[in-house]
Amino acid sequence: MSDNKADKNGPDVSGSALCHLLPQLLPCEAAVILETGSAPTILCFSTDHEKAFTASSLIDALKLSTARLSAEGGVEAGLFPEPIYGFRSWASKPIGSKDGHKVLVLCLNSSTEPFPSPALTRLATLTANISSPEIRKKISHTGRISDLTRYLDTRISPAEISSSTPLALLRLDLGKISPINDRDGWPASDALIERAYSLIREFIPARCFTVHLGGGSFAIVIPIEKDVSEAETLADDLLRRMQDEVIAPKDGFPFEPYIGWACYPFDAPDTHTLVSFANAALARIRGLRAGPLINRVAPEIAHAHADEVGMESDLRQALIDNAFTLNWLPVLETGTEHVVTFEALVRWKRPDHGDVDPPQFLRCAEQAGLIEDIDSWVLHTACHQAQNWKEPLGLSVNVSPSWLATERVATTIGSALKTSGLDPLRLQIEFSEKSDFGSPDIVRKELARIRGMGVRLILDDFGTGFGALERLTNYPFDQVKLDRSFVRRVGVDSRVETVLRCTLYMIHALNMTCCAEGVETEEQLGFLEAHGCEEIQGYLIGQPTLRQPDSRTD
């Protein structure tokens, strides 16, 4: 890869590095750099969608965009009049010129809500420093997946496998980049990543190809000279070298490196499959607190990854086709034994596969960046249906905490309430304790905005995550939902009953109410009611069903 250099008019952005860097530092799904003028040109794109775009179509769409706003440093944002390959919102910033024409960086999201103000400020700040030596240095050695695949394509001959030298692809992830970035800012994490990259380049033999894919992600291609065990030995030695850095240096090396790898032609017959399988092997172990740090792709991993890729594609189509449905789970008030709320549960029947377990497809949606779209569909659909109920019962909707950081949750809830006409006092939003909430400062602000509308907040799956007490004390929840894993042991385990009694006392002392999930027996109901649990849900009173309360049109 050649270095990018700043010319007299500004930075030369014709390389792919900056495109890949921006989605690592901004809340955007893709980035484009394009040159304007009489013959607009896309200089680079951060994803594999570039063939679906033309520079002219992007510029025309920008001119027709709605909800436009401007920010400091020439930053602008808005919404495309129609989706462009699934993208709806954009933010742009001029970053220099090339051949006398303006060069724009364009950030894209699939959300129908405009980019939040903090993202625009960050875009202005980041691009204002692009001409600095530090940023140019970072850009000069940051690649993307196309650099890797181009290299592999020159060494893999699918039609004549025997003519190609066997090779292994190692995908290395440093881990901990996001918390470092949130705590100390991206310049600090950049410095640590630069240090890691220097270490990798010093350690890896010259015969290997190494590329920084952005953030804490790297790829290493190793030609196999004798046996595939060479790859695992090198991976093991590299991790040991990186872990040694934890002890010795004065400023520490706070990474948790993981390596997933696959070998051509033994694991994969072509470039695309090799990259996909190495990514799958890494995904299987990344972020684990125990277990192996190095993982070679196995048949079951390959099959599962292929199914997840197919599921992601089907989920995208399901969003286009509105192919999801809602089931309704009643919530009973223990004091009156009346149903007071219905919880909306999203369901999906995948083509040629049938009903998919919700945790499975929602996990896939999280990883694919589709969870915001699905949650938004559920919010709007559930609010519209609840507005037509004969009785003004409560409505409970699950929202993934993962997109609280985008600061678009409150806006989306407000939009659902406005378009449906639903009374905000009837709506409650559930956030699962099992999920990462992100930056506490951003979460507090976003939850305050939601609560300011009159919407109630619920901490779901209480007792299953790592931050239960911290979230109870820091965030303004109105209710706590006890996880079914505790409730089902009532009448069986006296220790659990003691924990539940103390938990209920604590919840009430914090001026919150309590709902218990998974209530299946009269004994469980009796225990919970005796100790002040205000609401219950579970098979004792009803299973999730397509049937919802009677509507005004019935």
Side-chain angles (χ1 to χ4, degrees), residues 99-305:
D99 301 328
H101 299 304
K102 183 186 291 185
V103 174
L104 290 176
V105 59
L106 188 64
C107 299
L108 303 172
N109 274 331
S110 58
S111 170
T112 56
E113 299 294 334
F115 272 77
S117 296
L120 302 185
T121 302
R122 194 171 190 187
L123 175 60
T125 303
L126 174 64
T127 51
N129 295 323
I130 282 177
S131 60
S132 70
E134 291 80 9
I135 296 296
R136 286 207 310 274
K137 182 178 180 182
K138 180 178 181 67
I139 292 173
S140 70
H141 63 61
T142 304
R144 65 169 178 171
I145 197 67
S146 61
D147 299 313
L148 173 63
T149 55
R150 193 160 41 242
Y151 176 86
L152 291 172
D153 283 340
T154 63
R155 284 153 180 79
I156 291 178
S157 303
E160 298 177 346
I161 287 180
S162 60
S163 67
S164 301
T165 301
L167 51 86
L169 170 61
L170 275 58
R171 284 281 287 106
L172 184 147
D173 190 277
L174 296 177
K176 285 193 173 181
I177 294 301
S178 293
I180 293 171
N181 200 49
D182 292 338
R183 184 186 68 232
D184 302 324
W186 61 266
S189 60
D190 284 351
L192 291 169
I193 291 169
E194 169 64 26
R195 179 169 153 204
Y197 192 35
S198 297
L199 185 152
I200 293 170
R201 284 179 295 177
E202 291 171 5
F203 186 82
I204 296 298
R207 62 187 172 88
C208 301
F209 172 82
T210 303
V211 58
H212 178 200
L213 299 173
S217 181
F218 299 85
I220 303 165
V221 180
I222 305 171
I224 302 299
E225 297 179 345
K226 296 180 180 179
D227 186 85
V228 293
S229 62
E230 299 172 29
E232 188 153 17
T233 299
L234 181 62
D236 188 62
D237 291 344
L238 174 60
L239 287 191
R240 189 178 298 110
R241 175 71 180 88
M242 297 182 78
Q243 290 167 334
D244 288 344
E245 285 284 300
V246 176
I247 302 172
K250 59 183 179 181
D251 55 349
F253 191 76
F255 297 123
E256 295 179 341
Y258 295 85
I259 292 177
W261 67 286
C263 192
Y264 163 86
F266 310 108
D267 298 324
D270 53 52
T271 294
H272 175 76
T273 308
L274 181 66
V275 173
S276 178
F277 282 5
N279 289 341
L282 174 62
R284 179 60 63 94
I285 60 168
R286 183 168 43 200
L288 295 178
R289 298 297 176 186
L293 301 179
I294 301 172
N295 185 38
R296 181 179 179 181
V297 71
E300 61 272 16
I301 296 176
H303 293 320
H305 183 69

Side-chain angles (χ1 to χ4, degrees), residues 328-363:
W328 299 91
L329 182 64
V331 178
L332 183 81
E333 186 176 58
T334 55
T336 63
E337 297 189 359
H338 291 157
V339 172
V340 292
T341 300
F342 277 85
E343 180 180 352
L345 303 172
V346 64
R347 296 293 185 260
W348 178 46
K349 181 173 288 187
R350 184 181 176 190
D352 301 323
H353 291 77
D355 293 326
V356 183
D357 188 36
Q360 182 183 2
F361 76 78
L362 291 174
R363 182 171 56 250

